[in-house]
Amino acid sequence: MADVKRVALLPGDGIGPEVAAVAVRMLEALVPGRIEFEEHLFGGASIDAHGTAMTDETLAACRASDAVLLAAVGGPRWDTTDPHAPRPEQGLLGMRKGLGLYANLRPVRAIGALLDASPLRPERIRGTDLLVVRELTGGIYFGEKTRTADAASDLCVYTVAEIERIARIAFAAARRKVSNVDKANVLETSRLWREVVLRVHAEEFPEVRLEHVLVDNAAMQLVSNPSDFDVILTENMFGDILSDEAAMITGSIGMLPSASLGGAGGPGMFEPVHGSAPDIAGRGIANPLAMVLSSALMLRHGFGWETEAAALESAVDGALAAGLRTRDLGGAATTDEAAQAVISHL
Ligand code: NAD
């Protein structure tokens, strides 16, 4: 077949292998023969086998793939206070750096069947279907840091090229509009950010609606009127805070997928927001839906397979509407029962 994609699969640790197996099963049912999986040890599992959370071979294999599908890493087995001992999270950071993943995408959808699981009132969140596009490798988190006895500073720097590439991702993902979130009334980096966003919009995406929202206002709007947003485009620190705030809309961490995209046609990385959940690992009760929804993001943002991505997402919705509830959602369904429920709605 012409368009077979190669996916580097990193099951990792804890519940990682349990939920990764469900994603593979789902994708093989949805797009049979169109994806080839190549599995690699990652995180704690790689430390045990190779003494490092990510080997050069694994990074090279991921670079050569069309997408990286990661479950979760970490666990008490590798917790250590020895600063020289290898740690599972070093694999994550090394992968982000190694693949140049500068865009973090977190979709937040209010799923009808789970409206009651949100801390917000159902009528406020109904219809919410937004995407936070966060710049991931620039800004204040990466600027020069100083410290003296009685003062400290963190430098916030953005270049035009960094803003252009993240803006393009946001405009390309928009269905209704892009809400550019900044603090242009105070910050010089925000003024440059807004100028560049305006230019990229005018030159490349004039058909997309664009609005500007100051970050403090955006934080309020997210809880008072979340369904008004479509794509939220923002810098690293604002995106860090707003994406966690937005995530609360859906209720359970077992439901949240994410995508990180890199440059120059390189592969993106797709992973659930949750960790390796050592407290429930090996018991077959993990919620696999965040991993399944991460696979849907891979189909959409990694391969451009929108129809297949939407089919997978609506199968998840269908299974939930039919009553599927794993333990984190207040039910008793096992990982395997959740997988079967989604497959039956594909
Ligand atoms: P966690 O997300 O693993 O777990 C938090 C709580 O949510 C736990 O009670 C867990 O049982 C529950 N939970 C998480 N995912 C679930 C799922 N799919 N289904 C049902 N319940 C689920 O976070 P933590 O406990 O802070 O961290 C555990 C380990 O995971 C640590 O070693 C941490 O470093 C690592 N971690 C890894 C990642 C990653 O791989 N990206 C992210 C966060 C934490």
Side-chain angles (χ1 to χ4, degrees), residues 15 19 70-76 79 89 92 96 252-255 271-280 285-290 326-328:
I15 61 168
V19 296
L70 165 71
V73 299
D79 282 348
E89 308 79 57
L92 288 177
R96 284 181 192 147
S252 171
I253 192 162
M255 296 296 307
E271 57 178 320
V273 169
H274 64 71
S276 60
D279 52 333
I280 58 165
I285 57 170
N287 180 350
L289 297 182
T326 42
R327 291 197 5 160
D328 55 308

mmCIF file of all heavy atoms in Angstrom, residues 15 19 70-76 79 89 92 96 252-255 271-280 285-290 326-328, ligand 1:
data_model
loop_
_atom_site.group_PDB
_atom_site.id
_atom_site.type_symbol
_atom_site.label_atom_id
_atom_site.label_comp_id
_atom_site.label_asym_id
_atom_site.label_seq_id
_atom_site.Cartn_x
_atom_site.Cartn_y
_atom_site.Cartn_z
ATOM 1 N N ILE A 15 1.532 1.821 33.961
ATOM 2 C CA ILE A 15 0.382 1.494 33.109
ATOM 3 C C ILE A 15 0.688 1.739 31.636
ATOM 4 O O ILE A 15 -0.145 1.422 30.773
ATOM 5 C CB ILE A 15 -0.889 2.301 33.489
ATOM 6 C CG1 ILE A 15 -0.641 3.810 33.316
ATOM 7 C CG2 ILE A 15 -1.352 1.964 34.893
ATOM 8 C CD1 ILE A 15 -1.914 4.656 33.379
ATOM 9 N N VAL A 19 -1.813 0.616 28.429
ATOM 10 C CA VAL A 19 -2.612 1.509 27.584
ATOM 11 C C VAL A 19 -2.054 1.576 26.155
ATOM 12 O O VAL A 19 -2.809 1.741 25.198
ATOM 13 C CB VAL A 19 -2.765 2.930 28.194
ATOM 14 C CG1 VAL A 19 -3.537 2.863 29.502
ATOM 15 C CG2 VAL A 19 -1.428 3.619 28.403
ATOM 16 N N LEU A 70 3.939 7.743 22.555
ATOM 17 C CA LEU A 70 4.518 7.461 23.874
ATOM 18 C C LEU A 70 3.393 7.272 24.892
ATOM 19 O O LEU A 70 2.406 8.008 24.863
ATOM 20 C CB LEU A 70 5.398 8.643 24.284
ATOM 21 C CG LEU A 70 5.808 8.728 25.749
ATOM 22 C CD1 LEU A 70 6.819 7.647 26.092
ATOM 23 C CD2 LEU A 70 6.403 10.090 26.059
ATOM 24 N N ALA A 71 3.555 6.296 25.794
ATOM 25 C CA ALA A 71 2.523 6.116 26.832
ATOM 26 C C ALA A 71 2.921 6.907 28.083
ATOM 27 O O ALA A 71 2.475 8.030 28.255
ATOM 28 C CB ALA A 71 2.322 4.645 27.130
ATOM 29 N N ALA A 72 3.764 6.379 28.940
ATOM 30 C CA ALA A 72 4.160 7.126 30.146
ATOM 31 C C ALA A 72 5.437 6.516 30.708
ATOM 32 O O ALA A 72 5.712 5.335 30.501
ATOM 33 C CB ALA A 72 3.060 7.066 31.198
ATOM 34 N N VAL A 73 6.193 7.345 31.419
ATOM 35 C CA VAL A 73 7.420 6.839 32.044
ATOM 36 C C VAL A 73 7.437 7.153 33.531
ATOM 37 O O VAL A 73 6.717 8.027 34.006
ATOM 38 C CB VAL A 73 8.694 7.448 31.403
ATOM 39 C CG1 VAL A 73 8.774 7.101 29.936
ATOM 40 C CG2 VAL A 73 8.748 8.950 31.617
ATOM 41 N N GLY A 74 8.292 6.426 34.268
ATOM 42 C CA GLY A 74 8.539 6.746 35.674
ATOM 43 C C GLY A 74 7.940 5.736 36.634
ATOM 44 O O GLY A 74 7.189 4.844 36.250
ATOM 45 N N GLY A 75 8.313 5.908 37.907
ATOM 46 C CA GLY A 75 7.806 5.026 38.952
ATOM 47 C C GLY A 75 8.770 5.003 40.111
ATOM 48 O O GLY A 75 9.934 5.403 39.981
ATOM 49 N N PRO A 76 8.293 4.558 41.281
ATOM 50 C CA PRO A 76 9.108 4.591 42.498
ATOM 51 C C PRO A 76 10.422 3.799 42.362
ATOM 52 O O PRO A 76 11.415 4.140 42.999
ATOM 53 C CB PRO A 76 8.200 3.950 43.555
ATOM 54 C CG PRO A 76 7.044 3.369 42.833
ATOM 55 C CD PRO A 76 6.936 4.043 41.513
ATOM 56 N N ASP A 79 12.964 6.233 41.424
ATOM 57 C CA ASP A 79 13.098 7.466 42.206
ATOM 58 C C ASP A 79 14.404 7.409 42.974
ATOM 59 O O ASP A 79 14.704 6.404 43.621
ATOM 60 C CB ASP A 79 11.936 7.613 43.203
ATOM 61 C CG ASP A 79 10.668 8.097 42.511
ATOM 62 O OD1 ASP A 79 10.771 8.525 41.352
ATOM 63 O OD2 ASP A 79 9.587 8.029 43.132
ATOM 64 N N GLU A 89 12.480 10.606 33.458
ATOM 65 C CA GLU A 89 12.049 11.844 32.772
ATOM 66 C C GLU A 89 13.126 12.397 31.839
ATOM 67 O O GLU A 89 12.829 13.180 30.950
ATOM 68 C CB GLU A 89 11.688 12.953 33.770
ATOM 69 C CG GLU A 89 10.713 12.579 34.854
ATOM 70 C CD GLU A 89 11.376 11.807 35.988
ATOM 71 O OE1 GLU A 89 12.325 12.292 36.602
ATOM 72 O OE2 GLU A 89 10.943 10.662 36.214
ATOM 73 N N LEU A 92 12.131 11.865 28.378
ATOM 74 C CA LEU A 92 11.147 12.803 27.822
ATOM 75 C C LEU A 92 11.817 14.083 27.346
ATOM 76 O O LEU A 92 11.582 14.553 26.234
ATOM 77 C CB LEU A 92 10.119 13.175 28.896
ATOM 78 C CG LEU A 92 9.092 12.135 29.317
ATOM 79 C CD1 LEU A 92 8.235 12.690 30.442
ATOM 80 C CD2 LEU A 92 8.240 11.747 28.131
ATOM 81 N N ARG A 96 12.147 15.502 23.505
ATOM 82 C CA ARG A 96 11.633 16.813 23.076
ATOM 83 C C ARG A 96 12.741 17.617 22.400
ATOM 84 O O ARG A 96 12.543 18.218 21.350
ATOM 85 C CB ARG A 96 11.100 17.603 24.272
ATOM 86 C CG ARG A 96 9.755 17.089 24.712
ATOM 87 C CD ARG A 96 9.188 17.879 25.896
ATOM 88 N NE ARG A 96 8.049 17.147 26.434
ATOM 89 C CZ ARG A 96 7.692 17.110 27.704
ATOM 90 N NH1 ARG A 96 8.374 17.792 28.600
ATOM 91 N NH2 ARG A 96 6.654 16.417 28.102
ATOM 92 N N SER A 252 -11.337 14.136 34.198
ATOM 93 C CA SER A 252 -10.357 13.121 34.602
ATOM 94 C C SER A 252 -9.071 13.183 33.801
ATOM 95 O O SER A 252 -9.077 13.344 32.583
ATOM 96 C CB SER A 252 -10.924 11.715 34.424
ATOM 97 O OG SER A 252 -9.889 10.775 34.612
ATOM 98 N N ILE A 253 -7.958 12.996 34.520
ATOM 99 C CA ILE A 253 -6.655 12.981 33.858
ATOM 100 C C ILE A 253 -6.536 11.779 32.917
ATOM 101 O O ILE A 253 -5.772 11.791 31.962
ATOM 102 C CB ILE A 253 -5.531 12.986 34.912
ATOM 103 C CG1 ILE A 253 -4.191 13.258 34.254
ATOM 104 C CG2 ILE A 253 -5.487 11.677 35.700
ATOM 105 C CD1 ILE A 253 -3.118 13.694 35.205
ATOM 106 N N GLY A 254 -7.342 10.766 33.146
ATOM 107 C CA GLY A 254 -7.330 9.581 32.276
ATOM 108 C C GLY A 254 -7.948 9.819 30.910
ATOM 109 O O GLY A 254 -8.035 8.908 30.092
ATOM 110 N N MET A 255 -8.386 11.063 30.653
ATOM 111 C CA MET A 255 -9.068 11.385 29.390
ATOM 112 C C MET A 255 -8.265 12.327 28.493
ATOM 113 O O MET A 255 -8.706 12.641 27.401
ATOM 114 C CB MET A 255 -10.392 12.091 29.691
ATOM 115 C CG MET A 255 -11.416 11.274 30.423
ATOM 116 S SD MET A 255 -11.977 9.864 29.472
ATOM 117 C CE MET A 255 -12.471 10.656 27.959
ATOM 118 N N GLU A 271 1.151 11.772 23.155
ATOM 119 C CA GLU A 271 1.179 11.093 24.458
ATOM 120 C C GLU A 271 0.035 11.571 25.340
ATOM 121 O O GLU A 271 -0.395 12.717 25.244
ATOM 122 C CB GLU A 271 2.508 11.369 25.169
ATOM 123 C CG GLU A 271 2.760 12.850 25.339
ATOM 124 C CD GLU A 271 4.053 13.185 26.081
ATOM 125 O OE1 GLU A 271 4.388 12.496 27.053
ATOM 126 O OE2 GLU A 271 4.689 14.173 25.686
ATOM 127 N N PRO A 272 -0.443 10.698 26.235
ATOM 128 C CA PRO A 272 -1.420 11.155 27.212
ATOM 129 C C PRO A 272 -0.783 12.141 28.188
ATOM 130 O O PRO A 272 0.441 12.131 28.367
ATOM 131 C CB PRO A 272 -1.832 9.881 27.947
ATOM 132 C CG PRO A 272 -0.940 8.805 27.498
ATOM 133 C CD PRO A 272 -0.099 9.290 26.371
ATOM 134 N N VAL A 273 -1.615 12.976 28.815
ATOM 135 C CA VAL A 273 -1.096 13.937 29.789
ATOM 136 C C VAL A 273 -0.721 13.227 31.100
ATOM 137 O O VAL A 273 0.183 13.646 31.811
ATOM 138 C CB VAL A 273 -2.158 15.038 30.035
ATOM 139 C CG1 VAL A 273 -1.796 15.905 31.218
ATOM 140 C CG2 VAL A 273 -2.316 15.899 28.784
ATOM 141 N N HIS A 274 -1.400 12.100 31.394
ATOM 142 C CA HIS A 274 -1.151 11.420 32.668
ATOM 143 C C HIS A 274 0.216 10.727 32.703
ATOM 144 O O HIS A 274 0.879 10.559 31.678
ATOM 145 C CB HIS A 274 -2.261 10.420 32.980
ATOM 146 C CG HIS A 274 -2.369 9.269 32.014
ATOM 147 N ND1 HIS A 274 -1.443 8.270 31.945
ATOM 148 C CD2 HIS A 274 -3.316 8.974 31.082
ATOM 149 C CE1 HIS A 274 -1.819 7.381 31.029
ATOM 150 N NE2 HIS A 274 -2.940 7.794 30.478
ATOM 151 N N GLY A 275 0.619 10.316 33.912
ATOM 152 C CA GLY A 275 1.878 9.610 34.102
ATOM 153 C C GLY A 275 1.673 8.102 34.129
ATOM 154 O O GLY A 275 0.666 7.582 33.617
ATOM 155 N N SER A 276 2.620 7.411 34.770
ATOM 156 C CA SER A 276 2.648 5.947 34.702
ATOM 157 C C SER A 276 1.769 5.293 35.772
ATOM 158 O O SER A 276 1.694 4.070 35.840
ATOM 159 C CB SER A 276 4.085 5.467 34.856
ATOM 160 O OG SER A 276 4.588 5.911 36.107
ATOM 161 N N ALA A 277 1.115 6.109 36.617
ATOM 162 C CA ALA A 277 0.153 5.624 37.626
ATOM 163 C C ALA A 277 0.613 4.349 38.326
ATOM 164 O O ALA A 277 -0.070 3.325 38.266
ATOM 165 C CB ALA A 277 -1.218 5.421 36.983
ATOM 166 N N PRO A 278 1.760 4.381 39.012
ATOM 167 C CA PRO A 278 2.272 3.160 39.645
ATOM 168 C C PRO A 278 1.288 2.544 40.642
ATOM 169 O O PRO A 278 1.308 1.324 40.854
ATOM 170 C CB PRO A 278 3.546 3.621 40.368
ATOM 171 C CG PRO A 278 3.749 5.054 40.054
ATOM 172 C CD PRO A 278 2.644 5.549 39.194
ATOM 173 N N ASP A 279 0.408 3.389 41.209
ATOM 174 C CA ASP A 279 -0.547 2.862 42.203
ATOM 175 C C ASP A 279 -1.534 1.861 41.617
ATOM 176 O O ASP A 279 -2.110 1.056 42.350
ATOM 177 C CB ASP A 279 -1.294 4.027 42.901
ATOM 178 C CG ASP A 279 -1.937 5.010 41.929
ATOM 179 O OD1 ASP A 279 -1.435 5.146 40.789
ATOM 180 O OD2 ASP A 279 -2.934 5.653 42.300
ATOM 181 N N ILE A 280 -1.759 1.913 40.299
ATOM 182 C CA ILE A 280 -2.718 0.957 39.710
ATOM 183 C C ILE A 280 -2.080 0.087 38.625
ATOM 184 O O ILE A 280 -2.778 -0.682 37.958
ATOM 185 C CB ILE A 280 -3.958 1.680 39.131
ATOM 186 C CG1 ILE A 280 -3.535 2.712 38.072
ATOM 187 C CG2 ILE A 280 -4.780 2.335 40.240
ATOM 188 C CD1 ILE A 280 -4.716 3.188 37.215
ATOM 189 N N ILE A 285 -6.684 -2.038 35.217
ATOM 190 C CA ILE A 285 -7.836 -1.150 35.455
ATOM 191 C C ILE A 285 -7.586 0.281 34.972
ATOM 192 O O ILE A 285 -8.409 1.168 35.197
ATOM 193 C CB ILE A 285 -8.223 -1.110 36.952
ATOM 194 C CG1 ILE A 285 -7.030 -0.656 37.807
ATOM 195 C CG2 ILE A 285 -8.722 -2.470 37.421
ATOM 196 C CD1 ILE A 285 -7.411 -0.356 39.262
ATOM 197 N N ALA A 286 -6.442 0.515 34.295
ATOM 198 C CA ALA A 286 -6.155 1.884 33.835
ATOM 199 C C ALA A 286 -7.145 2.288 32.749
ATOM 200 O O ALA A 286 -7.593 1.458 31.957
ATOM 201 C CB ALA A 286 -4.738 1.948 33.278
ATOM 202 N N ASN A 287 -7.465 3.572 32.726
ATOM 203 C CA ASN A 287 -8.301 4.131 31.666
ATOM 204 C C ASN A 287 -7.413 4.325 30.432
ATOM 205 O O ASN A 287 -6.484 5.138 30.455
ATOM 206 C CB ASN A 287 -8.866 5.475 32.127
ATOM 207 C CG ASN A 287 -9.755 6.129 31.092
ATOM 208 O OD1 ASN A 287 -9.823 5.678 29.947
ATOM 209 N ND2 ASN A 287 -10.441 7.187 31.489
ATOM 210 N N PRO A 288 -7.698 3.641 29.331
ATOM 211 C CA PRO A 288 -6.842 3.766 28.145
ATOM 212 C C PRO A 288 -7.266 4.896 27.212
ATOM 213 O O PRO A 288 -6.681 5.067 26.150
ATOM 214 C CB PRO A 288 -7.037 2.406 27.449
ATOM 215 C CG PRO A 288 -8.448 2.042 27.764
ATOM 216 C CD PRO A 288 -8.761 2.626 29.136
ATOM 217 N N LEU A 289 -8.288 5.686 27.587
ATOM 218 C CA LEU A 289 -8.871 6.620 26.622
ATOM 219 C C LEU A 289 -7.949 7.798 26.286
ATOM 220 O O LEU A 289 -7.928 8.255 25.144
ATOM 221 C CB LEU A 289 -10.238 7.117 27.111
ATOM 222 C CG LEU A 289 -11.301 6.011 27.244
ATOM 223 C CD1 LEU A 289 -12.632 6.597 27.688
ATOM 224 C CD2 LEU A 289 -11.468 5.223 25.955
ATOM 225 N N ALA A 290 -7.164 8.283 27.258
ATOM 226 C CA ALA A 290 -6.226 9.367 26.929
ATOM 227 C C ALA A 290 -5.222 8.888 25.878
ATOM 228 O O ALA A 290 -4.835 9.631 24.975
ATOM 229 C CB ALA A 290 -5.487 9.834 28.185
ATOM 230 N N THR A 326 -14.493 3.694 33.395
ATOM 231 C CA THR A 326 -13.408 3.045 34.129
ATOM 232 C C THR A 326 -13.415 3.593 35.561
ATOM 233 O O THR A 326 -14.185 4.488 35.882
ATOM 234 C CB THR A 326 -12.063 3.341 33.436
ATOM 235 O OG1 THR A 326 -12.059 4.710 33.046
ATOM 236 C CG2 THR A 326 -11.858 2.438 32.227
ATOM 237 N N ARG A 327 -12.508 3.073 36.387
ATOM 238 C CA ARG A 327 -12.579 3.433 37.815
ATOM 239 C C ARG A 327 -12.363 4.913 38.081
ATOM 240 O O ARG A 327 -12.989 5.496 38.957
ATOM 241 C CB ARG A 327 -11.559 2.606 38.590
ATOM 242 C CG ARG A 327 -12.000 1.159 38.603
ATOM 243 C CD ARG A 327 -11.357 0.299 39.607
ATOM 244 N NE ARG A 327 -10.465 0.936 40.532
ATOM 245 C CZ ARG A 327 -10.122 0.420 41.679
ATOM 246 N NH1 ARG A 327 -10.649 -0.730 42.070
ATOM 247 N NH2 ARG A 327 -9.273 1.021 42.467
ATOM 248 N N ASP A 328 -11.456 5.544 37.295
ATOM 249 C CA ASP A 328 -11.207 6.981 37.490
ATOM 250 C C ASP A 328 -12.442 7.798 37.151
ATOM 251 O O ASP A 328 -12.557 8.947 37.570
ATOM 252 C CB ASP A 328 -10.013 7.429 36.641
ATOM 253 C CG ASP A 328 -10.203 7.085 35.176
ATOM 254 O OD1 ASP A 328 -10.491 5.910 34.876
ATOM 255 O OD2 ASP A 328 -10.097 7.995 34.339
HETATM 256 P P1 NAD B 1 0.012 9.991 37.404
HETATM 257 O O1 NAD B 1 -0.646 10.737 36.295
HETATM 258 O O2 NAD B 1 0.775 8.805 37.024
HETATM 259 O O3 NAD B 1 -1.115 9.542 38.450
HETATM 260 C C1 NAD B 1 -1.921 10.467 39.185
HETATM 261 C C2 NAD B 1 -3.199 9.780 39.662
HETATM 262 O O4 NAD B 1 -4.059 9.606 38.528
HETATM 263 C C3 NAD B 1 -2.971 8.394 40.238
HETATM 264 O O5 NAD B 1 -3.885 8.152 41.274
HETATM 265 C C4 NAD B 1 -3.276 7.454 39.075
HETATM 266 O O6 NAD B 1 -3.740 6.184 39.475
HETATM 267 C C5 NAD B 1 -4.342 8.233 38.328
HETATM 268 N N1 NAD B 1 -4.265 7.977 36.883
HETATM 269 C C6 NAD B 1 -3.341 8.460 36.010
HETATM 270 N N2 NAD B 1 -3.564 7.984 34.800
HETATM 271 C C7 NAD B 1 -4.636 7.173 34.883
HETATM 272 C C8 NAD B 1 -5.336 6.384 33.950
HETATM 273 N N3 NAD B 1 -4.986 6.332 32.661
HETATM 274 N N4 NAD B 1 -6.383 5.659 34.385
HETATM 275 C C9 NAD B 1 -6.769 5.694 35.674
HETATM 276 N N5 NAD B 1 -6.143 6.433 36.603
HETATM 277 C C10 NAD B 1 -5.086 7.164 36.220
HETATM 278 O O7 NAD B 1 0.921 11.050 38.165
HETATM 279 P P2 NAD B 1 1.902 10.813 39.414
HETATM 280 O O8 NAD B 1 1.322 9.814 40.350
HETATM 281 O O9 NAD B 1 2.223 12.163 39.866
HETATM 282 O O10 NAD B 1 3.226 10.209 38.788
HETATM 283 C C11 NAD B 1 3.502 8.821 38.730
HETATM 284 C C12 NAD B 1 4.764 8.612 37.908
HETATM 285 O O11 NAD B 1 4.538 9.043 36.566
HETATM 286 C C13 NAD B 1 5.958 9.420 38.418
HETATM 287 O O12 NAD B 1 7.102 8.629 38.298
HETATM 288 C C14 NAD B 1 6.016 10.600 37.472
HETATM 289 O O13 NAD B 1 7.309 11.120 37.346
HETATM 290 C C15 NAD B 1 5.547 9.987 36.200
HETATM 291 N N6 NAD B 1 4.952 10.932 35.228
HETATM 292 C C16 NAD B 1 5.212 10.699 33.926
HETATM 293 C C17 NAD B 1 4.623 11.494 32.954
HETATM 294 C C18 NAD B 1 4.890 11.183 31.517
HETATM 295 O O14 NAD B 1 5.339 10.086 31.212
HETATM 296 N N7 NAD B 1 4.624 12.093 30.600
HETATM 297 C C19 NAD B 1 3.752 12.531 33.321
HETATM 298 C C20 NAD B 1 3.478 12.725 34.690
HETATM 299 C C21 NAD B 1 4.083 11.910 35.633
#
